[in-house]
Amino acid sequence: MKKNDPAYQAYVDILSRELVPAMGCTEPIAIAYCAAKARSVLGALPERILVEASGNMIKNVKSVVVPNTNGQKGVKAAAAIGAFGGDEAAVLEVIAHISNGVKEKLPEYIDALDFKLLPLETTEALDFIITVFVKNSYARVRIAQEHSNIVLIEKDGEILFEKALSSVVSTDIPDYTFLNMAGIFDFATSCDLEDVKDILARQIAMNSAISDEGLRGNYGVNIGKTLLATYGTDIKTRARARAAAGSDARMNGCELPVVINSGSGNQGITASLPVIEYAAALGVADEKLYRALLISNLTTIHEKCSIGRLSAYCGAVSAGAGAGAGITYLMGGDLNAISHTVVNALAITSGIVCDGAKSSCAAKIAVAVDAGILGYEMYRSGNQFYDGEGLVVKGVDNSIRRFGRLGRVGMHETDKEIMRMMTEE
């Protein structure tokens, strides 16, 4: 792919937009960011906070530990830490640099805070409004469709900023329609790495660091450690364990950032760490690793475009297939091998549901990575899933769209039922 090809710059821009750092699970961090922004507009520390949120937002914040809150979970903790000590200018790293003084005083603030959470009637999976109050003044901020996409800022009845929800995604975003498996392979294997090296180096450094911490510390149910203790230390187990350990730490309050993919830290972890582990085991040069990560990350983004940011379809499934694609490239696979790996992996794990961010995400990641590896091993041994078997159809991009439709449309009612069950208490 030549640099003057419009798809080339689109791919570079997509990577720059999607592979960004975030500290903490992205849904509670989005809540914290919105609360910090609202406090900034209010110009004072809120005495009262009202959060109105879509079911998917509530689902994904309910059970995950919010960093820098001394182990607290949920929407109230996320909104409180954002309002009390968040840096709105840092966006998805809004609570990455909370001082010890803020940490010490946070429990007192949370206890005194008048807080209310209400469901938001909306057709968007990712949609929430935070209103903060002090005395007779209020400020309101709404975020929709993407984790840092502010669509409304209001103070005391005056609209300071607004854009229509129908045009909520900015017109200057990259053209994601360029994404297809042939284009991804062409770009990944021919691009000037100087155009993407910094993005990938940051992903390697940050995601490896949180995986190291997950294996070193005691986080959640320690899926990464359990895999190594139970199944040994062969490369297939290490690849699963490294990704799972990163999620162990991230879902349970680790105060290290990760580079996300498609708005998700767990997807960023899953798309990168197994590929990094395989590259180390194979002793490949950095260039080969970078190109494998391009394949893994862009494949994951391609799959997620058909699904959306949040749904009842577990995001690790897409990222696990992406990791399988990257590993296949490291093992010498061409576009045909990569395409079959992706289809095989999706056919195996596409039924995994998302019931919110929490400790069990690490186990789902391990399963998804295993499916990616198995997808490659199937192809290498001359086996594959064929057109007409379940949701598989001829052509890798057609199959990706099929599985995306399952996640976006087919599991819509499943999503509603999951949220009903999770909020019955």
Side-chain angles (χ1 to χ4, degrees):
M1 187 179 292
K2 304 296 185 183
K3 280 199 175 190
N4 60 1
D5 187 328
Y8 186 100
Q9 190 57 50
Y11 280 22
V12 173
D13 291 343
I14 287 168
L15 290 163
S16 298
R17 185 171 186 265
E18 298 286 358
L19 271 57
V20 296
M23 201 277 277
C25 177
T26 44
E27 279 73 54
I29 293 306
I31 295 284
Y33 167 57
C34 190
K37 184 67 176 180
R39 177 216 61 216
S40 175
V41 174
L42 184 66
L45 183 64
E47 301 168 336
R48 180 161 64 96
I49 298 178
L50 168 65
V51 177
E52 301 165 89
S54 62
N56 269 281
M57 283 299 299
I58 295 171
K59 175 182 75 173
N60 280 316
V61 182
K62 178 177 180 288
S63 303
V64 68
V65 175
V66 182
N68 286 320
T69 64
N70 297 312
Q72 296 197 56
K73 300 178 181 180
V75 178
K76 183 177 182 179
I81 186 66
F84 189 60
D87 174 12
E88 73 279 4
V91 194
L92 295 183
E93 293 185 280
V94 58
I95 58 171
H97 304 293
I98 297 295
S99 68
N100 288 331
V102 168
K103 289 182 187 180
E104 290 171 5
K105 295 176 182 177
L106 180 64
E108 181 181 344
Y109 177 68
I110 290 177
D111 287 344
L113 182 65
D114 182 352
F115 176 83
K116 192 169 187 177
L117 172 64
L118 294 174
L120 178 65
E121 290 297 324
T122 176
T123 58
E124 300 293 334
L126 196 166
D127 196 356
F128 61 99
I129 303 166
I130 295 183
T131 310
V132 295
F133 304 84
V134 64
K135 296 184 172 60
N136 295 321
S137 184
Y138 77 88
R140 177 176 292 122
V141 176
R142 182 181 185 183
I143 287 177
Q145 290 191 330
E146 297 189 2
H147 293 80
S148 58
N149 190 46
I150 293 174
V151 298
L152 172 70
I153 301 175
E154 176 185 339
K155 183 179 182 184
D156 296 331
E158 180 183 359
I159 303 296
L160 304 179
F161 172 81
E162 186 175 23
K163 53 182 174 180
L165 201 58
S166 59
S167 60
V168 69
V169 178
S170 171
T171 55
D172 62 356
I173 68 168
D175 188 349
Y176 285 69
T177 63
F178 282 116
L179 289 171
N180 60 76
M181 290 307 299
I184 289 169
F185 184 79
D186 185 8
F187 173 81
T189 55
S190 65
C191 73
D192 182 351
L193 288 177
E194 289 302 315
D195 292 333
V196 294
K197 185 177 179 180
D198 289 348
I199 298 169
L200 298 174
R202 181 174 62 186
Q203 184 181 52
I204 292 167
M206 287 187 173
N207 294 5
S208 295
I210 200 167
S211 178
D212 289 342
E213 176 60 20
L215 290 173
R216 183 169 50 241
N218 181 28
Y219 292 96
V221 292
N222 296 302
I223 296 296
K225 288 181 178 180
T226 301
L227 285 166
L228 294 173
T230 305
Y231 299 109
T233 57
D234 65 278
I235 180 56
K236 295 174 186 176
T237 303
R238 295 202 311 274
R240 292 186 291 148
R242 290 289 289 179
S247 181
D248 284 329
R250 184 172 174 79
M251 293 293 95
N252 292 281
C254 178
E255 295 167 11
L256 289 175
V258 306
V259 169
I260 65 178
N261 182 304
S262 303
S264 164
N266 277 337
Q267 287 161 206
I269 286 167
T270 307
S272 60
L273 287 165
V275 179
I276 295 166
E277 191 66 20
Y278 261 81
L282 294 169
V284 302
D286 286 347
E287 177 180 345
K288 186 87 170 179
L289 168 58
Y290 288 147
R291 297 195 187 281
L293 284 172
L294 288 173
I295 289 172
S296 178
N297 281 300
L298 287 168
T299 298
T300 301
I301 295 166
H302 178 30
E303 295 170 87
K304 286 294 292 182
C305 282
S306 298
I307 300 169
R309 290 297 204 226
L310 300 177
S311 78
Y313 187 99
C314 176
V317 170
S318 301
I327 290 167
T328 301
Y329 174 76
L330 288 174
M331 299 293 287
D334 58 9
L335 173 60
N336 188 53
I338 288 167
S339 297
H340 282 293
T341 295
V342 170
V343 173
N344 288 342
L346 292 176
I348 294 167
T349 53
S350 58
I352 299 177
V353 300
C354 173
D355 54 345
K358 69 261 178 253
S359 294
S360 66
C361 291
K364 294 180 181 183
I365 285 171
V367 171
V369 172
D370 185 61
I373 296 169
L374 177 58
Y376 166 65
E377 295 295 348
M378 285 175 59
Y379 174 78
R380 189 163 69 161
S381 63
N383 296 293
Q384 66 184 72
F385 297 117
Y386 290 94
D387 177 19
E389 294 186 330
L391 296 181
V392 174
V393 291
K394 187 174 180 61
V396 59
D397 297 301
N398 293 329
S399 287
I400 286 173
R401 282 189 286 272
R402 268 283 187 92
F403 287 106
R405 178 180 166 188
L406 169 67
R408 187 186 71 257
V409 180
M411 298 179 78
H412 184 65
E413 288 302 317
T414 300
D415 205 25
K416 289 182 178 179
E417 188 58 31
I418 288 171
M419 288 182 282
R420 279 193 289 268
M421 288 190 285
M422 290 181 69
T423 56
E424 280 175 355
E425 60 195 60

